[in-house]
Amino acid sequence: SAAQSFAPATGTPSATDTRPRAEAPATAVPSGIGTGSRAEAPETVIGISDLSRLLPQLHADALAGPPGLQERLRQMATADTAGGLELNPEAKERAEFAGQLLDFLSSDYRFSEQTAPLLEAVQVPLVQAILTDPGFFQHKDHPALQLVDQLEHLGFFITDEKDSAKQTHIRTSVEQLQARLQRSEGDDRILNEVSQALSELTSAQSRDYQLNVERLVATCTGQDRLQLSRTRVRKELDRRYGGRRIPAVAIQLLDVGWRALLELACLRDGENAPEYRQYLSLFDNMGRQLGGDPCESQASPIKGGELLAAFEEGLSSTAFDPLRRTQVLERLKSGLLNLEGKTGTTAQELVSFPATTEVPETAHLSAKKDIPEGAWQRVMEKANSVETGDRVDFVDENGGRRPLRVVWISDADSKLTLVDQKGLKAKQLSQAELARCLHFRQATTVPAEQSILSERAVEEMFKRMEDRLAHHTAHDSLTGLYNRRQFQSALEQALSKNRDSASQVLCWMNLDNFAVFNDTCGYEVGDKLLVTVAGMLEQHFGERGVLGHLGGDKFGVLLEDCSVQRGANLAETFRFAVERVPFYWNGRSMPVSVSVALVDLAEASDSLAQLMQAADAALTAAKQARGNQVYRYSASDRSIREQRESMQWLLQVNQALDHGRLKLRCQKIAPIDPGKGFLPHYEVLLGVTNESGESLHIGNFISAAEKYYRMVQVDRWVVSTAISWIAEQKPHLAGLGGFAINLSGHTLDDEGFIAFVDELFQKTRVPSGYISFEVTETVAIANLERAGRIIHALKDLGCTFALDDFGSGLSSYSYLKVLPVDCLKIDGAFVKDMHTDRNNYAVVKSINEIAHFMGKRTIAEFVENAEILRCLEEIGVDYAQGYGIEKPRLLEELTQGS
């Protein structure tokens, strides 16, 4: 649509679709899909305030025995009636939110036996806050959420010790705070006081924990540096003397303390330190003078007496066995002084330097024992990915869990040091040993949390809603296969792939004479046949392709990496299997058969529209040949839209802009529940005529305007004309509620658009609160930064904003947090048959939950009849728009006769 709507007078967004519609005939609604019918009328219909007052009693009942409070809330959110009570849609929605939050919190590992009672005590004020505050999940500073975060923090320091004074103090404090909470009756002041007391309690534990960990890390750091120093000295000696002959006394000198001297010098100042290099040079000089093989050192010879004095001084700080030190020095003295002619001692004995070799780590080999190579690689990769701060839960033989935290990973040997809740060293093991524990499920790893518990809870709840919406949006409720939208998306992705890499085949299927089954046996029997065929598709194609139920009796299978001949064989096997399906009704056998169109994607087309035209053409040919056969598409069957048609539409766009053939229409958006105080408002729609005054297809007009980059001019014409007309109707504005205008993706790139709108408001004096804008979900998420910028700018002018066709795109919590829209408009594709389609009903309900969770209003388009309106009222949608509310009319007709 070119223009759509919102409710500025109440700050409530709104939107609608401009596609042509026809009045939909009344359709029978299957039981349980939004009919509002129940076996027995409920005694009372209650809302949020009533449910809030019932909470203490519900909690008391839950404490008396199962089910717990969260299970009771979940039952109330899903059941038609509960104990003679029926919740209205808003109360059901909030009850479900509350139940999900309690489920998530109670599953957190940190709520131990000691803190669980305090969590239970906070349940009532927590649920009370969810029920009474629509923006609860967006208020990070809410005392109930802060209390939950403090509880998580406290759980980190609780141990199983029974006789510890510190743990006794924690337990006593928890009992006292629990009693205060139970008497608080949701008083925010008491919640804040309890949260502050918990903060003080955990701060003391945190300080002790931090000090213990810092001491341990300091010790590990020193040990690591010493180990690295030893390794460097060993490698340097091996490099210099490995495989060479040196004096035997040199080996004794290293063992008695010279090696330790080298290690300390390297530890203090590193490998390039002058002192370290000097000690190595002294050792080189001694070895060379006593007849050893020359090494790389080119240092000038040092007199024997000076060498001996240097060795005596060095060993004084590292040789702690006086007898061995004296013996080694005497041997050095005999050799070195003999060189100066001062004694008659014989030459020194020479030996090969014992170079060390890398020995496979026995711990690694032992840990790997009995584990297949592939599995070992996987668990080693997981063990290697563990970082400091991560949690490792060790499981004992009885299933008990001991959560430890990684505080150090050695650079020298990659060993992990882990601490307990006190910050004391609890375990040290190699990565290979951890990998073995992971393989045999004696341990599990949990990455360090990057957010606090309340934030993780909100993210998890929204993820559940997103997953549910994504499943409903992508799958057909009857068969469980992909729906038409999702299957077409798979086809588009397949078309975008390189055709030269692999063959792709589309099987387009129709059951023959399916209408006979529905007319003769009834729709329930027809549905069972469709489910049977879907199961056979999964059996024959499930591991080879993408399966879809495309509506009615039509199915699709996309086979990737499959030749055309192989696809034909699979299709023929499936056709034969369907033909042999035993199907009986009233004791009579009824024949079942299927027609299959086979299309090679490389041959058919480069666009989805042309591909589906080709598939339909081949399927029609199969039907015309009496069905029950596989028909392969031929290039001669192509039906390609000529480029001339697009150019003709471009001409229509230009003429409409140049000759004033555009006109504005509008359609009413009505509040579903007048009791909420919402006002009706209107969506501005675009119309266009040709030179003869005949109306043109607006969808084709807009497509051409977008394709040929004329949509910015169209949008500006709509905005300018609409605001100018509104300026002339100031006496009637109070009764009109407000107007909404849709913006195209091209206008989001128009840097001058904001100034253009601001100038219009200044010129016409139209209150900006009467105007809202909207873009489709697909356009908005195509460039979140650009869309967010223009939305912020228009809201700064005082306008409101809506997101149209919500549910057709990603429907993600992440981008809803970026886009500050006031309203979500539910895609009419889900609304128009929600009274007869259980899956679409669930999609609409999920979208409404997401919107209300975010504190936004909802509008349902394509509301064609009273049955759909009744479903929307049951779900709790805020606004409705469609032929069942009011048909579009010219904008000027709104005030005629006033």
Side-chain angles (χ1 to χ4, degrees):
S1 60
Q4 307 190 331
S5 96
F6 205 57
T10 60
T12 306
S14 145
T16 191
D17 192 335
T18 61
R19 288 168 287 184
R21 308 176 179 113
E23 291 289 350
T27 307
V29 182
S31 174
I33 306 183
T35 61
S37 59
R38 295 175 174 83
E40 295 181 6
E43 296 176 9
T44 309
V45 178
I46 65 174
I48 287 179
S49 58
D50 304 299
L51 180 59
S52 180
R53 286 193 292 270
L54 286 173
L55 263 181
Q57 183 58 48
L58 288 173
H59 188 232
D61 294 343
L63 292 178
L69 179 59
Q70 58 260 48
E71 178 62 26
R72 290 175 179 267
L73 288 167
R74 187 163 47 247
Q75 289 174 354
M76 298 180 79
T78 56
D80 283 344
T81 61
L85 300 177
E86 177 194 355
L87 272 64
N88 68 20
E90 203 171 0
K92 278 190 174 186
E93 190 177 75
R94 286 284 151 180
E96 184 175 0
F97 291 160
Q100 288 180 357
L101 180 62
L102 295 186
D103 281 342
F104 180 82
L105 295 180
S106 61
S107 66
D108 192 275
Y109 84 102
R110 289 181 181 164
F111 291 113
S112 60
E113 181 180 347
Q114 287 85 354
T115 53
L118 198 53
L119 175 64
E120 190 174 82
V122 81
Q123 282 185 344
V124 171
L126 194 63
V127 174
Q128 186 100 21
I130 295 173
L131 294 179
T132 56
D133 184 356
F136 171 78
F137 292 105
Q138 312 307 315
H139 297 168
K140 296 181 180 180
D141 57 349
H142 195 286
L145 286 179
Q146 290 185 337
L147 185 54
V148 167
D149 292 331
Q150 294 294 344
L151 273 174
E152 180 197 36
H153 194 196
L154 176 63
F156 183 84
F157 304 109
I158 295 214
T159 69
D160 295 329
E161 294 176 335
K162 302 298 182 184
D163 54 353
S164 165
K166 183 180 294 184
Q167 294 298 315
T168 300
H169 171 65
I170 292 176
R171 285 193 292 272
T172 302
S173 300
V174 167
E175 291 171 359
Q176 294 172 349
L177 295 176
Q178 177 188 357
R180 290 201 67 188
L181 273 180
Q182 289 173 337
R183 297 192 300 268
S184 71
E185 297 183 352
D187 187 331
D188 284 359
R189 180 181 58 82
I190 295 180
L191 293 181
N192 278 317
E193 290 174 356
V194 172
S195 177
Q196 180 61 33
L198 278 177
S199 177
E200 294 171 359
L201 181 62
T202 54
S203 293
Q205 317 306 319
S206 180
R207 284 192 297 271
D208 292 344
Y209 175 87
Q210 183 68 21
L211 287 173
N212 289 336
V213 171
E214 287 176 357
R215 294 190 192 102
L216 179 59
V217 168
T219 301
C220 291
T221 301
Q223 293 173 345
D224 224 23
R225 290 184 61 208
L226 180 59
Q227 181 62 32
L228 287 172
S229 174
R230 287 173 175 169
T231 301
R232 288 167 179 165
V233 169
R234 173 179 59 78
K235 289 183 177 180
E236 179 64 20
L237 293 175
D238 286 349
R239 187 181 69 81
R240 287 171 176 259
Y241 308 114
R244 293 184 172 89
R245 293 170 58 79
I246 66 172
V249 69
I251 303 296
Q252 298 166 1
L253 177 64
L254 288 173
D255 291 344
V256 80
W258 199 255
R259 186 191 304 271
L261 189 68
L262 289 169
E263 291 170 352
L264 286 173
C266 182
L267 175 65
R268 283 194 300 266
D269 302 310
E271 294 177 280
N272 296 319
E275 188 179 39
Y276 175 62
R277 290 295 163 187
Q278 179 186 1
Y279 291 151
L280 286 171
S281 179
L282 290 171
F283 194 78
D284 291 342
N285 255 290
M286 177 269 298
R288 188 168 61 251
Q289 292 186 39
L290 294 183
D293 293 341
C295 65
E296 66 180 26
S297 176
Q298 301 298 322
S300 301
I302 303 175
K303 293 182 178 181
E306 294 177 6
L307 272 176
L308 185 63
F311 287 132
E312 288 178 344
E313 181 181 356
L315 291 178
S316 66
S317 62
T318 57
F320 302 113
D321 186 332
L323 177 61
R324 289 191 64 206
R325 180 181 62 195
T326 301
Q327 290 174 343
V328 169
L329 288 174
E330 284 297 325
R331 291 189 182 99
L332 284 173
K333 179 178 180 181
S334 173
L336 294 173
L337 296 183
N338 178 49
L339 295 174
E340 297 181 351
K342 296 182 179 182
T343 79
T345 307
T346 58
Q348 294 290 310
E349 176 188 1
L350 298 178
V351 298
S352 294
F353 183 78
T356 56
T357 56
E358 295 290 341
V359 179
E361 199 178 327
T362 55
H364 181 91
L365 296 176
S366 175
K368 188 177 177 181
K369 184 180 179 182
D370 302 328
I371 302 179
E373 184 62 31
W376 177 251
Q377 294 298 329
R378 287 192 293 273
V379 292
M380 273 301 296
E381 183 177 346
K382 189 170 185 180
N384 289 333
S385 68
V386 172
E387 299 178 349
T388 54
D390 290 354
R391 196 179 85 234
V392 182
D393 292 353
F394 291 90
V395 182
D396 59 29
E397 296 178 354
N398 299 321
R401 185 175 62 182
R402 186 188 185 196
L404 303 179
R405 184 77 58 180
V406 179
V407 297
W408 181 259
I409 301 177
S410 171
D411 291 332
D413 54 16
S414 297
K415 282 191 175 181
L416 291 80
T417 301
L418 301 98
V419 299
D420 58 16
Q421 290 98 323
K422 297 179 181 178
L424 300 177
K425 182 177 178 180
K427 188 180 286 287
Q428 188 175 56
L429 74 170
S430 67
Q431 290 176 326
E433 291 168 330
L434 174 59
R436 183 173 183 85
C437 292
L438 294 174
H439 176 77
F440 290 106
R441 299 184 181 179
Q442 297 167 345
T444 57
T445 60
V446 182
E449 295 91 349
Q450 300 302 318
S451 58
I452 57 178
L453 179 60
S454 59
E455 292 177 353
R456 299 199 307 275
V458 172
E459 294 287 345
E460 173 64 22
M461 290 173 64
F462 210 101
K463 181 179 180 300
R464 292 180 185 179
M465 284 187 275
E466 284 183 332
D467 290 344
R468 184 168 57 190
L469 174 58
H471 181 82
H472 290 321
T473 304
H475 291 80
D476 168 60
S477 60
L478 178 64
T479 63
L481 305 181
Y482 274 164
N483 57 27
R484 187 181 190 91
R485 182 197 302 264
Q486 193 68 21
F487 188 77
Q488 287 181 349
S489 176
L491 289 179
E492 287 178 329
Q493 292 179 18
L495 286 169
S496 67
K497 291 183 178 179
N498 184 354
R499 304 292 180 79
D500 297 330
S501 60
S503 179
Q504 302 174 100
V505 177
L506 171 63
C507 296
W508 207 243
M509 308 178 185
N510 237 167
L511 290 175
D512 297 325
N513 302 315
F514 180 70
V516 174
F517 288 92
N518 281 336
D519 295 341
T520 305
C521 312
Y523 288 99
E524 183 177 351
V525 174
D527 285 349
K528 288 181 179 179
L529 177 58
L530 294 176
V531 172
T532 300
V533 172
M536 297 178 67
L537 280 172
E538 290 182 324
Q539 180 181 352
H540 283 77
F541 298 102
E543 297 182 357
R544 299 184 179 92
V546 180
L547 314 179
H549 179 211
L550 312 176
D553 60 335
K554 185 172 287 187
F555 294 87
V557 178
L558 173 62
L559 298 172
E560 299 190 275
D561 297 328
C562 178
S563 68
V564 176
Q565 186 57 52
R566 174 62 174 160
N569 293 339
L570 290 171
E572 181 61 33
T573 302
F574 174 73
R575 183 204 63 78
F576 183 70
V578 172
E579 189 180 29
R580 294 173 61 85
V581 170
F583 196 86
Y584 296 89
W585 185 74
N586 282 350
R588 292 184 298 160
S589 174
M590 300 187 67
V592 181
S593 64
V594 63
S595 296
V596 183
L598 194 73
V599 184
D600 181 353
L601 268 65
E603 179 185 0
S605 69
D606 291 323
S607 73
L608 179 62
Q610 292 178 7
L611 173 62
M612 297 182 71
Q613 286 175 1
D616 283 335
L619 191 58
T620 300
K623 292 283 190 179
Q624 291 174 347
R626 298 185 179 180
N628 193 23
Q629 61 180 279
V630 177
Y631 184 94
R632 180 177 172 181
Y633 170 78
S634 171
S636 60
D637 294 328
R638 283 187 175 179
S639 176
I640 303 174
R641 181 179 297 174
E642 298 293 337
Q643 194 64 232
R644 184 179 67 256
E645 183 179 346
S646 294
M647 296 303 298
Q648 290 174 346
W649 271 109
L650 173 60
L651 181 62
Q652 294 285 4
V653 171
N654 291 335
Q655 289 180 346
L657 286 169
D658 295 340
H659 301 293
R661 293 175 184 163
L662 297 175
K663 58 181 180 179
L664 294 184
R665 306 161 71 216
C666 64
Q667 188 177 31
K668 188 176 186 178
I669 301 175
I672 295 178
D673 182 2
K676 291 183 178 180
F678 301 155
L679 293 177
H681 47 287
Y682 295 87
E683 177 190 6
V684 176
L685 309 175
L686 180 64
V688 63
T689 60
N690 60 18
E691 62 273 13
S692 303
E694 299 170 336
S695 295
L696 297 178
H697 189 283
I698 191 63
N700 291 340
F701 177 87
I702 291 175
S703 296
E706 289 179 337
K707 181 176 181 180
Y708 294 106
Y709 303 99
R710 301 302 305 275
M711 205 59 208
V712 170
Q713 290 91 331
V714 173
D715 281 352
R716 287 198 175 205
W717 183 90
V718 171
V719 173
S720 176
T721 305
I723 292 180
S724 297
W725 181 86
I726 293 170
E728 298 172 358
Q729 316 301 321
K730 289 184 179 178
H732 310 293
L733 285 184
L736 295 178
F739 297 87
I741 304 172
N742 192 3
L743 301 179
S744 69
H746 295 291
T747 293
L748 296 184
D749 290 323
D750 183 3
E751 295 184 359
F753 181 72
I754 300 301
F756 169 75
V757 175
D758 190 21
E759 184 179 348
L760 280 174
F761 285 140
Q762 298 292 337
K763 179 180 177 181
T764 62
R765 302 296 179 183
V766 170
S768 58
Y770 278 90
I771 302 297
S772 69
F773 294 96
E774 65 180 66
V775 294
T776 65
E777 177 187 24
T778 305
V779 167
I781 63 179
N783 191 320
L784 281 177
E785 181 179 358
R786 185 178 62 199
R789 189 164 56 247
I790 197 168
I791 292 173
H792 276 292
L794 288 172
K795 288 174 71 71
D796 287 344
L797 293 181
C799 305
T800 47
F801 218 95
L803 199 61
D804 191 16
D805 291 344
F806 190 82
S808 60
L810 298 177
S811 307
S812 171
Y813 178 45
S814 59
Y815 76 70
L816 280 179
K817 292 192 292 186
V818 175
L819 299 176
V821 297
D822 305 281
C823 178
L824 301 183
K825 187 171 184 181
I826 304 169
D827 191 350
F830 302 117
V831 178
K832 64 183 180 181
D833 58 357
M834 63 178 291
H835 59 305
T836 58
D837 188 313
R838 188 179 301 274
N839 194 67
N840 284 346
Y841 181 92
V843 170
V844 174
K845 185 175 185 295
S846 295
I847 293 175
N848 191 63
E849 289 175 349
I850 288 175
H852 288 175
F853 182 83
M854 298 290 293
K856 306 179 189 304
R857 301 288 167 79
T858 50
I859 300 173
E861 59 182 356
F862 278 41
V863 180
E864 312 294 355
N865 53 52
E867 287 83 0
I868 296 176
L869 187 62
R870 190 178 303 117
C871 291
L872 297 172
E873 183 178 8
E874 182 176 88
I875 289 173
V877 174
D878 300 310
Y879 291 91
Q881 177 184 9
Y883 278 27
I885 304 299
E886 181 181 276
K887 292 182 179 181
R889 52 177 166 163
L890 292 174
L891 188 61
E892 56 263 29
E893 293 179 3
L894 282 181
T895 55
Q896 287 181 356
S898 300

